Each structure stands twice: as structure tokens, then as C-alpha cells.
Amino acid sequence: MHAAVVHSFDTPPRYDTTDTPTPHGAHEVLVDVLAAALHPRVRSAADGTHYTSDGTLPLVPGIDGVGRTPDGELLYFVAPDDHGTMAEQAVVDRRRAVTLPADTDPDGVTALAAAMNPAMSSWVALRRRVTLAPGARVLVLGATGSAGRLAVQIARHLGAGHVVAAGRDPERLALLPELGADETVSLQGDPAQAAERLAATTAPDADVVLDYLWGPVTERALPALLTARTDRARPLAWIQIGSMAGLELTLPSQYLRAANLQLMGSGQGSVSTAGILAELPPLAERITSGAFAVDPVAVPLSKVEQAWTAATTPGRRIVLTPGE
């Protein structure tokens, strides 16, 4: 079969042939892949930088997708650990899949492929890592990325009463008030100055922080927000989800003593596989019902090399689909 194949971590995948995977066991089925999105998580696996990468090449990238079984059943699925989804066919473990309405149109298929992975990060965090009280205040650090953009919408959808969106892309930041952000904060420039801008808003009194950035941005923002907090004894759940700004930071111990900070992560391992899978059906239903603004760009699988380096406008995500 044809697939996107990574032969080197230093170059984009190329359209190539590879062995068709074989289902094993009662729960597995081979599907025709209809859509597989190019997520940041896919890119990090393809360049070998994701923390789960074991360095094995060649590999077919892709962590999820929408496919159709030989019986015509339409599924959204999370890929098994040993097979990617950017291919003409993929193996699906039904225990990691959600059945979709059979009449879901092609636009719905691409929207689901584009949105499920980035939406899952905040959806799972707000439903599995914390209890989001009605009217809670939420800060999204890194709100101008695809996952952050959806996090703003999901926080509001799940009952947040006030959402502060902080990000570095001014064009994308300007779009967020119409998606549910009450305040926006630019994180451009020096991290210390960005932290000062955050501290001057309502962000210090957040109940939950969804952090897609980490690194120098969080290193400066966290102390600034805790210092400006009106009631430091009030719990603040800081959920580390991504590390777009850096993998590490230094946190002086005093801030853990001087505020009721609950520092945690959300992702593979911190939430059980069963817990993540349980959240797939309600999230898929919200996406297909149009609850969230999604703007996918369909590109044929054969154009994967061009898609890998293509620039997209704010809010858009590339989805690979069948065809030449």
C-alpha cells in the first residue's frame, strides 16, 4: 500500500510503498483511511523528538484518523503503538475507536480528524485531571496554537465563567474573543515582560491554567501570577500539557509554600488509557455537532511532503485524505 514513510528524522516523510499491516486478535480490523491530521504530536514523532520515540525507522506517522471497515462502518480511532495512520489502510483496535454516524459527510470526517487530537488535550485535562466548577476562571497559556484555540472553546463549553487567552501570534490572538475568550494577552517578546502583562489582567486569580508552553514563558509567568494572586490559599490547578516554549524550567521552592499551587500534567500516563478512551465518544459527538469552530485543510496523501512544510492560516489544520 501507499503511505507517508519517515526514512530519516531530518527530512519530511515521503509518499512511498510499505507493507499493509495485518490485524491480529478479535478486536482488530483493517480499515481504509479516509482522513488523518497533521498534528504537532505527529510531527514530533516523525522527527524523533517526542518523549515516546524509540528511534526506530522507517515509520509511518499518524496517531489517529477516521476510517471505514470492510462492512462500511465509519470509525474514529486512535492508532496502535506500532502502526501509523498516514496510509491508505491502517489497523484499528475497536477498543480504541468510536463508531460514527454512517451518514457523516466528508466535511464532517475531515473536521473530526482535524479536531479530535488537539481538542482531546484540554477536554481530558478539564474532565479527568480536575473538577471544573461552574463559573471557574481558566487561563490558557499558548492559546494561539490549534490545541489552545480549542481549549478556549472547550473551557467555555464545559462551564468556565471567565477565560483568559494568552499567546504569541497577534493575528490568531485577535480571533479568540469571538470563540469565548474574555481577555487576551500577548506573550510576544521578552518572557519577563509577557509575565508582567499577564499579572496585570485577571489571570492571577485563575482557578485552572492550561499550559501548552512551559519553558521560559512559564518560568516567568508562574511566579508573577502567584505573587499577584488575591488569595494565595485558593487552589490553583496548573496543568502542564505541552512544551512549545521549552522542555524545562526552574521553579524556586518558595512558590510551592507561598501559594496553594497544584502542579500536574495531563497526557499519556498521567491519565489512564481507559480514562482517555472514555472521553472519546462525548468529544466526537460535540465536534460532529458543530459545537467548536474547526477549519481543516484537506490535502491528498500523495502530497505529504508538500503538506509537511506548507504554511496555514490561523486556526487551520492539514488533514491528509485518499487520492493522488
Side-chain angles (χ1 to χ4, degrees):
M1 69 173 183
H2 285 97
V5 182
V6 177
H7 293 279
S8 168
F9 290 132
D10 298 323
T11 58
R14 67 173 185 258
Y15 188 61
D16 206 346
T17 56
T18 188
D19 292 337
T20 302
T22 303
H24 297 286
H27 298 289
E28 294 189 346
V29 62
L30 189 68
V31 301
D32 294 325
V33 178
L34 303 180
L38 181 48
H39 308 300
R41 167 68 176 81
V42 176
R43 291 183 184 275
S44 62
D47 65 19
T49 61
H50 194 263
Y51 67 87
T52 62
S53 176
D54 64 4
T56 300
L57 291 174
L59 66 85
V60 174
I63 59 171
D64 66 348
V66 179
R68 195 176 297 277
T69 71
D71 296 331
E73 186 179 8
L74 191 64
L75 301 174
Y76 167 78
F77 63 97
V78 177
D81 295 334
D82 55 346
H83 294 294
T85 61
M86 291 183 168
E88 291 177 322
Q89 294 182 298
V91 168
V92 173
D93 185 331
R94 288 183 173 276
R95 294 168 296 184
R96 299 161 65 105
V98 178
T99 300
L100 304 173
D103 59 353
T104 302
D105 62 28
D107 288 342
V109 167
T110 54
L112 198 70
M116 279 292 282
N117 174 265
M120 203 181 306
S121 64
S122 56
W123 181 272
V124 169
L126 293 175
R127 284 170 59 94
R128 291 279 165 169
R129 297 299 280 143
V130 294
T131 299
L132 187 69
R137 293 175 173 267
V138 175
L139 166 63
V140 181
L141 277 180
T144 52
S146 294
R149 169 187 166 97
L150 280 162
V152 170
Q153 301 177 65
I154 287 169
R156 182 67 78 185
H157 181 81
L158 293 178
H162 190 88
V163 179
V164 178
R168 290 171 289 189
D169 187 315
E171 187 179 356
R172 298 182 183 208
L173 200 62
L175 301 175
L176 296 178
E178 64 188 57
L179 298 179
D182 296 284
E183 293 179 81
T184 61
V185 184
S186 172
L187 297 179
Q188 277 192 315
D190 180 69
Q193 295 177 344
E196 290 177 4
R197 290 194 292 271
L198 270 175
T201 69
T202 62
D205 290 323
D207 299 295
V208 177
V209 177
L210 300 175
D211 184 355
Y212 290 91
L213 299 178
W214 207 241
V217 175
T218 298
E219 183 170 286
R220 295 287 190 163
L222 198 155
L225 293 176
L226 292 181
T227 300
R229 196 164 174 78
T230 304
D231 179 4
R232 295 190 192 180
R234 182 178 177 180
L236 170 60
W238 195 291
I239 310 178
Q240 201 284 320
I241 301 175
S243 50
M244 296 300 293
L247 298 175
E248 300 176 349
L249 58 75
T250 298
L251 178 62
S253 60
Q254 68 191 65
Y255 293 107
L256 295 175
R257 298 191 300 270
N260 190 353
L261 175 65
Q262 301 166 358
L263 189 61
M264 67 189 78
S266 184
Q268 294 170 262
S270 56
V271 180
S272 70
T273 299
I276 293 173
L277 294 175
E279 296 299 337
L280 297 184
L283 178 56
E285 188 279 325
R286 302 300 199 286
I287 293 171
T288 55
S289 71
F292 310 126
V294 182
D295 193 7
V297 181
V299 176
L301 176 64
S302 61
K303 307 296 184 185
V304 61
E305 286 188 72
Q306 297 93 317
W308 213 261
T309 56
T312 56
T313 55
R316 309 201 83 185
R317 173 148 294 187
I318 290 173
V319 177
L320 298 181
T321 58
E324 297 289 335

